[in-house]
Amino acid sequence: MTDYRYDNRTVQGFILSAIFWGVVGIVVGLLISIQMWAPGANFAPYLTFGRLRPVHTNGLAFGLGVGSIFGLSYWIVMRLCKRPLLFPKLARVQLWLFNAGIALAALSLMAGHTQSLEYAELEWPLDVAIVVLWVMFAVNVFGTIVKRNEEQMYVSLWYIIATVIAVAVLYLVNNLAVPASLTKSYHLFAGVNSANVQWWYGHNAVGFVFTTPILAMFYYFLPKATGLPIFSHRLSIVAFWSLVFAYMWTGAHHLVYTPLPDWLQTLGIVFTVFLIAPSWGSVVNGFYTVGQDWSKMRSSYLTKFFVLGITFYGLQTVQGPTQALRVVSQLIHYTDWVPGHVHMGTMGWVTMTVCASVYYVIPKIYGTEIFSEKIANVHFWLVLVGQLLFSITMWITGIRQGWMWKATDAEGKLVYRNFIDTIAGNYPYWHTRTLAGIVFTVGMLFFVYNVLMTIRKGRALERSEAPAAPAAVTVA
Amino acid sequence: MSGKIYSKPVTFAVMATVAVLVGTAVTMAYPLVRPEMHVKVEGLKPLPALELAGRDVYQREGCVSCHTQTVRPLKSEVVRYLGSRAQEPTARYSLAGEFAYDHPFLWGSKRTGPDLAFEGWIKPSADWQRAHLENPQKLVAKSNMPAYAFLSGEKVDAPAVAASMRALRRVGVPYTDADVTAAGADVAGKTNMDALVAYVLSLGKAVNRGAPGGVDVDLAAANPLGAAVAAVARGKQLWDANGCAACHGDEAHGQDGVAPNLVDEEFLGQKGDLPDAAYFAMIKGGSEVKPALGRPGVADGGMQAFGSDLKDEDIWAIVSFLRNQKGHEATESKAEEAKEHHEAAERRAKDRK
Ligand code: HEM
């Protein structure tokens, strides 16, 4: 146990950092959701919607997402390799660099330094920092796996390895740019190529940040939390290889009906539809795993987080391929439907699974139990209600507005010629979205409180178990 | 998959790499060498210095968070963004060849506001664009677009524009040495607002999307709808539905520096009214018909042509509405005058006492 102490603290550091940036990102999310219906809430120049939207997305994808991926992947790697990290100090340096990087990222985005590429907005000096971070992560993950004390690599390790490789390829290529100054650069690719490379990256950022590492958590923590083994190893194998193979083909579904050549659009659509299969491989595996004993839903409070998480993942991966179809895309693309879809994944699947994993890990670090299961349950229900309210309102208003854009009369004239007439009806839904965000945020604050109190409890326990050490030294 | 690779991390990593690289090679790398990915519309030119500076502002402010820049080849979309006016059928939607110098592309992914790919044709008035950016809600009450008035107080950073040109030249945009040298002078004294407006007005202009031919102006034509109450009501409806109010105001009183008053004594900048047919021609053909009407109007024009959106009958209905509005004003001002006369007379009567 003591062998792991230092590394466990690093893991906890990543988790706490991820939570911190998560809260920042969510608060910014609330602010931009208010700006959508109250333009007076824009505070020029730094706090306008245009500059803050990327702060929200990057803060959550890189701060909450990548931060928890670093921490929880290290936890998983150590347990599955039966050894501490190969380079513990390096991981600690990585933790500090990560926090400095995210802080600078948020500030630079507010200052308007951006490449205007979604999820790759950061300018080149920060890109360099992110590449360094990723290399540190890769070195520790691969080093520890190579020196492992367990013959077989479990599924979660496969997903972590694929994540490390795919993100490296994606990030390096899409961020190729020529600098004009320290804060401004121009994408190496132009027009249709710029678009194609960006969405090859953009969709796979979703695939390899919001899917594969989260699946690694799911495959590891679900059996741990429930005590039930994964239903089918063979299904895991098939789902893994088909997922990592198919994902990279699908980016063009973001560019349906744009000037991108038709053959590329069609290829992207076909592979996107196919993607249902590997995604549902994991969904089925998850359900059948819990299906071995449904009473776990009652007896183990974490089970419902994982079941809900994988359910949202399942819905998301049916919705996604449907959206890629040309007939559907022409109606919902560019509307509020898309944030509805995105947040089912981010708030439902990602946040649900990450929170459950954190609930599992934090008490284990101190050899104790969670501070309060009751609070965890309140957190669960609030987050669920907030998420559903968010997505459902955005789906409705997305279809509503998409239909108004298309509506023509018998002579082919537009029924809603004035664009603003199609926006006016969004306001009630945008109000409701902010309400949903508040409910979700309150839920997340319960989570944060629960985690902090568990750590406090754990620290007190440590102090009482280390009788020789004077209190002052322990605090330092 | 044989079970062995799951205990051999290096082999496993190599296989995973191959798995992700197949799709990458076909859908990302191979297109980079395809000719259809490197097309250019005829006569495409890199953005001049001021517009380039404007594009940088557009990026900096994250306009791409709310605005797309690609008109899809869908019927309703082509009509909405006035692509339907273009003579060439292929010019009615966005073309790959228009974006050959766009580093990066700015097509966006969310239309909280309208698409801007053809904005240079849709709202060609610099005054309108400036007034709108300064305070969107003043022109479009229900808009949720942020106000960008602060841009008027920022000077364009001239050395940065030259540096941008040099960087863009390195990625293949054909800026000449002369372009780079002249950049400083081209943007001298200009604000970021000037730059952004210039950029927005350049959108979609690489391809001719103007209305086919001109509009035949027949000043003798009479309004077939006359002053019929139904026509006036329908005209008011069309006035609201087609966004005339965004420029001319709800009651057609005009807005300073944006669009003229349509119910005062002046028409196109000169005293004296013109017949209904002149109103009809301006609405149908926009500022381009001014020579046929023989009046100067606003120097840089800015009235868009509605001929491809509105049937002739609809345009006449709007004219009926404007005439009615004008009549109203006249009566009101007469009543006002009479009242003033009356009051003055009373005052005089009092004074005398
Ligand atoms: C309080 C909770 C949240 C609120 C109020 C919120 C609000 C918003 C808003 C207003 C947008 C912009 C939508 C638009 O442009 O129309 C957005 C986009 C986005 N948010 Fe959130 N959000 C929340 C939580 C999250 C979480 C937890 C994540 C990820 C872990 C996330 C990831 C994203 C992403 C990736 C986008 C970009 C979507 C796209 O490109 O269509 N959000 N969010």
Side-chain angles (χ1 to χ4, degrees):
Chain A
M1 191 71 206
T2 47
D3 288 351
Y4 291 98
R5 201 185 135 92
Y6 184 85
D7 290 335
N8 284 351
R9 284 300 156 93
T10 310
V11 168
Q12 179 179 307
F14 274 116
I15 290 174
L16 289 178
S17 310
I19 292 177
F20 175 77
W21 294 115
V23 171
V24 172
I26 288 169
V27 170
V28 175
L30 272 181
L31 176 56
I32 59 175
S33 83
I34 292 169
Q35 288 172 338
M36 296 275 292
W37 51 264
N42 286 283
F43 306 101
Y46 302 109
L47 304 179
T48 54
F49 182 90
R51 294 193 190 187
L52 284 181
R53 190 182 192 271
V55 176
H56 169 67
T57 56
N58 284 272
L60 288 161
F62 294 111
L64 176 68
V66 172
S68 55
I69 290 166
F70 282 159
L72 294 169
S73 297
Y74 280 152
W75 178 273
I76 295 171
V77 166
M78 287 190 280
R79 299 304 167 297
L80 291 176
C81 295
K82 297 217 158 71
R83 56 156 300 146
L85 292 179
L86 191 61
F87 305 108
K89 290 263 160 47
L90 183 68
R92 202 53 82 79
V93 175
Q94 184 193 346
L95 171 61
W96 290 111
L97 182 61
F98 166 77
N99 280 302
I102 301 289
L104 282 176
L107 294 176
S108 78
L109 289 172
M110 281 190 264
H113 307 150
T114 173
Q115 303 193 72
S116 308
L117 299 169
E118 265 183 90
Y119 318 124
E121 282 91 350
L122 300 179
E123 271 297 351
W124 66 273
L126 282 161
D127 287 340
V128 172
I130 287 180
V131 170
V132 171
L133 274 169
W134 203 256
V135 169
M136 290 174 159
F137 180 54
V139 165
N140 236 333
V141 165
F142 281 122
T144 309
I145 290 178
V146 168
K147 300 274 178 197
R148 71 196 181 285
N149 294 319
E150 167 79 44
E151 173 71 12
Q152 284 283 319
M153 294 188 297
Y154 177 69
V155 197
S156 295
L157 290 184
W158 315 345
Y159 278 110
I160 291 173
I161 291 173
T163 302
V164 171
I165 294 169
V167 170
V169 174
L170 290 161
Y171 204 83
L172 283 175
V173 175
N174 190 44
N175 283 295
L176 292 176
V178 171
S181 72
L182 208 58
T183 57
K184 178 79 192 163
S185 67
Y186 293 95
H187 208 202
L188 181 61
F189 314 99
V192 274
N193 284 302
S194 172
N196 192 50
V197 173
Q198 153 59 23
W199 282 113
W200 161 80
Y201 165 88
H203 188 72
N204 288 296
V206 177
F208 289 91
V209 172
F210 284 156
T211 305
T212 51
I214 313 301
L215 282 171
M217 296 173 199
F218 183 78
Y219 275 106
Y220 179 80
F221 291 109
L222 176 67
K224 286 285 174 195
T226 57
L228 302 168
I230 286 297
F231 168 71
S232 162
H233 185 62
R234 181 166 304 177
L235 190 52
S236 308
I237 293 178
V238 176
F240 173 80
W241 287 106
S242 46
L243 187 87
V244 296
F245 176 77
Y247 238 108
M248 289 287 191
W249 297 73
T250 56
H253 67 224
H254 286 262
L255 297 169
V256 177
Y257 286 117
T258 67
L260 191 75
D262 269 348
W263 69 269
L264 266 169
Q265 296 184 26
T266 306
L267 198 60
I269 295 170
V270 169
F271 271 86
T272 306
V273 172
F274 168 75
L275 211 50
I276 296 186
S279 309
W280 273 71
S282 291
V283 174
V284 168
N285 224 347
F287 270 104
Y288 275 81
T289 298
V290 182
Q292 297 169 83
D293 181 4
W294 280 111
S295 75
K296 294 284 179 196
M297 284 289 271
R298 252 175 227 289
S299 59
S300 160
Y301 79 103
L302 285 180
T303 314
K304 60 179 169 301
F305 283 86
F306 288 111
V307 168
L308 233 297
I310 202 73
T311 305
F312 280 130
Y313 177 62
L315 291 174
Q316 179 104 3
T317 50
V318 171
Q319 212 180 47
T322 314
Q323 286 163 202
L325 302 175
R326 283 196 170 86
V327 282
V328 182
S329 176
Q330 54 168 280
L331 178 68
I332 53 94
H333 199 48
Y334 303 133
T335 70
D336 280 295
W337 171 283
V338 178
H341 165 75
V342 168
H343 288 87
M344 178 165 61
T346 55
M347 295 162 95
W349 156 240
V350 175
T351 311
M352 214 49 123
T353 309
V354 166
C355 289
S357 307
V358 169
Y359 274 147
Y360 177 85
V361 165
I362 291 292
K364 280 278 178 297
I365 290 180
Y366 297 97
T368 176
E369 293 299 318
I370 186 75
F371 171 70
S372 162
E373 279 191 23
K374 203 180 254 168
I375 292 182
N377 288 336
V378 173
H379 155 210
F380 173 84
W381 288 109
L382 286 174
V383 164
L384 176 61
V385 169
Q387 195 281 305
L388 284 175
L389 192 59
F390 188 128
S391 288
I392 291 171
T393 45
M394 291 302 103
W395 291 330
I396 296 174
T397 201
I399 293 182
R400 194 194 57 76
Q401 197 181 16
W403 173 80
M404 288 175 97
W405 287 346
K406 286 171 69 72
T408 46
D409 64 15
E411 293 160 66
K413 303 275 180 195
L414 294 171
V415 179
Y416 305 96
R417 179 79 197 72
N418 246 348
F419 193 86
I420 194 71
D421 294 340
T422 73
I423 298 176
N426 279 333
Y427 285 107
Y429 296 93
W430 282 340
H431 293 147
T432 314
R433 190 239 310 261
T434 298
L435 180 70
I438 292 172
V439 174
F440 181 86
T441 308
V442 171
M444 289 302 283
L445 292 177
F446 275 102
F447 163 72
V448 176
Y449 176 74
N450 214 356
V451 169
L452 294 180
M453 291 309 283
T454 306
I455 292 177
R456 205 173 125 155
K457 183 172 130 187
R459 291 236 169 107
L461 206 69
E462 269 184 352
R463 273 195 295 277
S464 66
E465 278 170 4
V473 175
T474 320
V475 170
Chain B
M1 296 284 156
S2 111
K4 283 229 183 71
I5 61 162
Y6 304 108
S7 52
K8 293 200 166 58
V10 178
T11 318
F12 180 90
V14 170
M15 287 188 59
T17 309
V18 171
V20 296
L21 285 185
V22 179
T24 300
V26 179
T27 65
M28 190 280 284
Y30 175 60
L32 289 174
V33 300
R34 292 290 310 168
E36 69 267 33
M37 296 289 280
H38 293 275
V39 287
K40 223 176 261 175
V41 296
E42 231 183 85
L44 184 71
K45 289 197 192 61
L47 291 180
L50 189 62
E51 292 169 18
L52 174 62
R55 192 174 198 269
D56 289 348
V57 175
Y58 189 93
Q59 280 193 270
R60 188 186 78 183
E61 296 309 328
C63 309
V64 76
S65 291
C66 286
H67 290 288
T68 56
Q69 282 190 21
T70 165
V71 171
R72 297 176 290 181
L74 304 174
K75 224 167 89 192
S76 55
E77 194 145 321
V78 160
V79 173
R80 175 173 304 281
Y81 297 109
L82 307 190
S84 45
R85 278 187 206 158
Q87 227 153 351
E88 280 292 319
T90 52
R92 293 181 181 162
Y93 43 85
S94 291
L95 301 173
E98 291 177 70
F99 302 99
Y101 298 141
D102 271 33
H103 295 265
F105 78 117
L106 293 174
W107 297 349
S109 65
K110 177 81 203 302
R111 275 185 193 156
T112 299
D115 188 272
L116 298 180
F118 297 171
E119 187 64 8
W121 298 99
I122 297 176
K123 294 247 163 64
S125 154
D127 290 338
W128 187 87
Q129 293 293 354
R130 189 179 307 271
H132 180 255
L133 284 164
E134 279 180 356
N135 186 351
Q137 286 71 31
K138 194 169 156 217
L139 300 187
V140 184
K142 286 191 204 136
S143 177
N144 65 355
M145 176 159 147
Y148 290 98
F150 68 95
L151 294 176
S152 305
E154 292 178 352
K155 284 267 172 290
V156 174
D157 180 355
V161 180
S164 291
M165 283 187 171
R166 280 192 295 268
L168 283 166
R169 197 153 62 172
R170 250 169 268 144
V171 293
V173 182
Y175 282 113
T176 62
D177 286 336
D179 292 333
V180 180
T181 321
D186 289 349
V187 300
K190 302 284 186 185
T191 65
N192 276 340
M193 177 64 89
D194 300 328
L196 184 58
V197 168
Y199 170 65
V200 166
L201 291 181
S202 78
L203 293 171
K205 291 288 200 168
V207 172
N208 182 8
R209 300 194 160 95
V215 171
D216 291 331
V217 179
D218 173 13
L219 285 180
N223 183 348
L225 305 176
V229 177
V232 172
R234 174 149 175 72
K236 167 69 177 152
Q237 237 175 17
L238 289 161
W239 176 265
D240 292 336
N242 287 281
C244 312
C247 295
H248 292 287
D250 284 337
E251 316 240 284
H253 284 166
Q255 306 197 62
D256 276 346
V258 176
N261 188 330
L262 301 182
V263 293
D264 61 1
E265 327 256 86
E266 287 189 0
F267 189 86
L268 288 176
Q270 285 180 357
K271 279 243 183 256
D273 211 348
L274 287 184
D276 285 6
Y279 284 73
F280 179 86
M282 273 303 287
I283 299 169
K284 185 163 183 174
S287 289
E288 276 158 51
V289 307
K290 278 193 292 186
L293 299 175
R295 295 231 169 152
V298 182
D300 66 349
M303 172 62 193
Q304 62 195 73
F306 282 88
S308 54
D309 303 297
L310 294 170
K311 288 171 289 183
D312 285 0
E313 199 188 313
D314 291 341
I315 297 178
W316 285 121
I318 296 178
V319 175
S320 302
F321 159 69
L322 288 174
R323 283 299 187 201
N324 182 270
Q325 195 73 3
K326 203 161 184 164
H328 249 359
E329 309 273 317
T331 342
E332 265 173 27
S333 64
K334 274 202 190 106
E336 201 114 299
E337 254 171 57
K339 200 170 145 213
E340 264 171 32
H341 269 297
H342 183 72
E343 281 169 0
E346 276 191 345
R347 250 181 277 125
R348 275 195 299 273
K350 255 195 210 148
D351 287 347
R352 243 178 273 140
K353 270 191 197 161

